[in-house]
Amino acid sequence: MINGEQRRLLHQYLLLDLAVKSLQHDLTVAEHFKMKRVFLPAMDALLKQLHNDYFQLKRQLAQQKIRLVGWHRIDDYFSDVQVATAGNDEVLRYANQALKTQVEELINKHLHNA
């Protein structure tokens, strides 16, 4: 069973995972920008920072024997996240739009703190 603090860490980990994947995708698109020399270094620095936070959180969760098994998209609105813990597996349901909004807020927060 996942307690409140572990669930908060797991949620943050999921947001970082989505942010890293989104930025990696956007980075390939940004390579075709006319002003790519302006945008690519900033995006790359942000990606490195998010990647670092992601791996730190992954290590923290691994110490507590919690790992993400997989994402399963239910429909356009919801996804299930399967999580393995020391005791048992759990499935957490997330609203896709809420995750997208939270990932955007996370990226904005990192941009403004840089």
Side-chain angles (χ1 to χ4, degrees), residues 72-79 96:
H72 306 286
R73 189 177 183 112
I74 303 295
D75 54 26
D76 289 342
Y77 303 105
F78 294 100
S79 292
N96 294 334

Side-chain angles (χ1 to χ4, degrees), residues 35-83:
M35 296 187 64
K36 65 183 175 188
R37 288 188 289 178
V38 174
F39 294 107
L40 289 180
M43 289 178 75
D44 193 44
L46 177 61
L47 186 58
K48 284 179 184 174
Q49 183 183 16
L50 289 172
H51 229 280
N52 185 37
D53 293 349
Y54 169 82
F55 282 115
Q56 285 179 357
L57 213 45
K58 186 174 183 175
R59 238 179 273 119
Q60 246 181 308
L61 289 169
Q63 289 172 347
Q64 298 180 36
K65 297 183 178 14
I66 298 172
R67 67 182 171 84
L68 175 68
V69 176
W71 289 87
H72 306 286
R73 189 177 183 112
I74 303 295
D75 54 26
D76 289 342
Y77 303 105
F78 294 100
S79 292
D80 281 347
V81 177
Q82 188 176 1
V83 180

Side-chain angles (χ1 to χ4, degrees), residues 15-32:
L15 293 178
L16 285 167
D17 183 43
L18 289 172
V20 166
K21 287 177 182 176
S22 296
L23 277 175
Q24 285 173 335
H25 174 268
D26 291 351
L27 198 57
T28 61
V29 174
E31 289 174 356
H32 302 292

